[in-house]
Amino acid sequence: SPGTTSFKQSLSRFQYTTASRSSSKENVDQKEKPSSTPASLKRKRTTTTTIASTSASAASSPAKKKRPSSKYADPSKYAHLKPLVDILEPNLICVFVGTNPGVQTATAGHAYAHPSNHFWKLLHSSGLTDRRLKPEEDRSLPALYCMGNTNIVSRPSKDAAELSKEEMAAGTADLEAKFFKYKPEAVCIVGKGIWEAIWRYRHGKNPKREEFRYGWQDESENMGKSGEEVVDAEGNVWKGARVYVTTSTSGLAASLKPAEKEEIWRPFGEWVRKRREERGFMPRP
């Protein structure tokens, strides 16, 4: 695995990192001491105490209101919105894989256009870009940085919960075909949920906690492989694009702190910069 031991260790934390006791004694005491209180009043007092106790307990533990979760939405709901154009060219150093366009992104026609999304910020802070790009500059990624972008599902929706597992599975097959065609060196999966969907498609089950990790994945998980051996013009055998899994960049994904997200993104940025230098890549106008 291309990731260093120290990086794995630093990421390990992200993986999968009143009843009274004296009641018997009171009962004995009550038997020993005769009471002048009528039994009917005793029962009434006990009932009142029980109701008061129950009311106090309910007041101290108010029911929590649950936020309603989004559910699957038929594609017709967002049929007025257009899918994003894939930003792909042959032999890119890397291609980012998002879930699908959100409503605001589809409306703008540019990747990660919602103001709360941290994609462009993380690209810059990790060194993948030398400045913070605007969403409107998304199609300049191949020319300026030898990078591209696509999604596992092309149709827009409010959020990932409005997509079906069948769509995610079909999207995985589409990704494999795209990467076989364009042959990037690596693909960067932008979010744990996307990688879990790809894993389900490949292995027929959800990954166990110990099977998931951020960062570089095993070579056996490369994407865009074919059943046949493919050799390029230089005699190199195509073994598929290497896979690096990063955090989601959505503003709603708050399970990790910003500094923790940057720590996961940074090694990938270092690797891409190194590959640009080794290739002698020069930005195109």
Side-chain angles (χ1 to χ4, degrees), residues 63-83:
K64 294 182 179 179
K65 293 183 179 180
K66 295 182 179 179
R67 289 181 61 187
S69 60
S70 298
K71 296 181 179 180
Y72 172 78
D74 189 85
S76 61
K77 181 177 180 179
Y78 301 102
H80 61 289
L81 298 174
K82 295 181 179 180

Side-chain angles (χ1 to χ4, degrees), residues 126-244:
S126 63
L128 285 159
T129 60
D130 55 359
R131 61 184 176 83
R132 182 169 176 172
L133 300 180
K134 298 177 181 178
E136 295 77 21
E137 298 177 276
D138 57 352
R139 297 182 191 180
S140 68
L141 282 173
L144 297 180
Y145 302 102
C146 203
M147 303 188 303
N149 184 69
T150 187
N151 292 290
I152 189 171
V153 175
S154 61
R155 77 168 177 99
S157 70
K158 178 183 177 182
D159 53 33
E162 292 189 327
L163 305 176
S164 68
K165 290 185 178 180
E166 290 75 18
E167 286 178 290
M168 299 290 273
T172 299
D174 290 342
L175 287 177
E176 297 281 13
K178 290 176 186 178
F179 299 146
F180 178 74
K181 177 181 179 180
Y182 292 101
K183 294 180 174 57
E185 285 192 47
V187 295
C188 180
I189 308 299
V190 187
K192 177 183 176 182
I194 304 171
W195 184 239
E196 288 176 333
I198 294 172
W199 186 281
R200 281 195 303 271
Y201 175 79
R202 290 179 161 188
H203 303 282
K205 60 180 182 179
N206 290 320
K208 298 178 181 178
R209 172 173 286 188
E210 61 270 18
E211 290 175 321
F212 174 81
R213 68 175 181 272
Y214 288 112
W216 292 106
Q217 305 302 305
D218 295 337
E219 186 177 310
S220 61
E221 299 295 343
N222 285 7
M223 298 195 70
K225 293 184 292 186
S226 171
E228 300 178 3
E229 186 176 273
V230 179
V231 182
D232 63 20
E234 299 177 356
N236 300 315
V237 178
W238 168 250
K239 296 181 179 180
R242 300 161 72 183
V243 177
Y244 191 98

Side-chain angles (χ1 to χ4, degrees), residues 239-279:
K239 296 181 179 180
R242 300 161 72 183
V243 177
Y244 191 98
V245 178
T246 59
T247 65
S248 169
T249 61
S250 170
L252 299 176
S255 59
L256 296 175
K257 297 177 181 179
E260 293 173 325
K261 291 184 179 182
E262 289 184 7
E263 186 177 357
I264 294 170
W265 276 79
R266 192 174 298 113
F268 188 67
E270 294 171 353
W271 180 83
V272 171
R273 289 201 310 274
K274 181 179 178 181
R275 289 299 299 132
R276 282 198 285 252
E277 292 174 3
E278 292 172 346
R279 281 196 186 190

Side-chain angles (χ1 to χ4, degrees), residues 48-126:
T48 303
T49 304
T50 302
I51 294 173
S53 176
T54 304
S55 301
S57 176
S60 62
S61 304
K64 294 182 179 179
K65 293 183 179 180
K66 295 182 179 179
R67 289 181 61 187
S69 60
S70 298
K71 296 181 179 180
Y72 172 78
D74 189 85
S76 61
K77 181 177 180 179
Y78 301 102
H80 61 289
L81 298 174
K82 295 181 179 180
L84 290 184
V85 175
D86 280 337
I87 304 171
L88 295 172
E89 289 183 6
N91 305 313
L92 293 172
I93 291 176
C94 76
V95 174
F96 299 99
V97 179
T99 305
N100 74 315
V103 172
Q104 186 159 340
T105 288
T107 301
H110 296 286
Y112 303 97
H114 198 285
S116 69
N117 197 288
H118 301 150
F119 180 79
W120 300 106
K121 178 181 179 180
L122 282 165
L123 254 61
H124 177 43
S125 65
S126 63

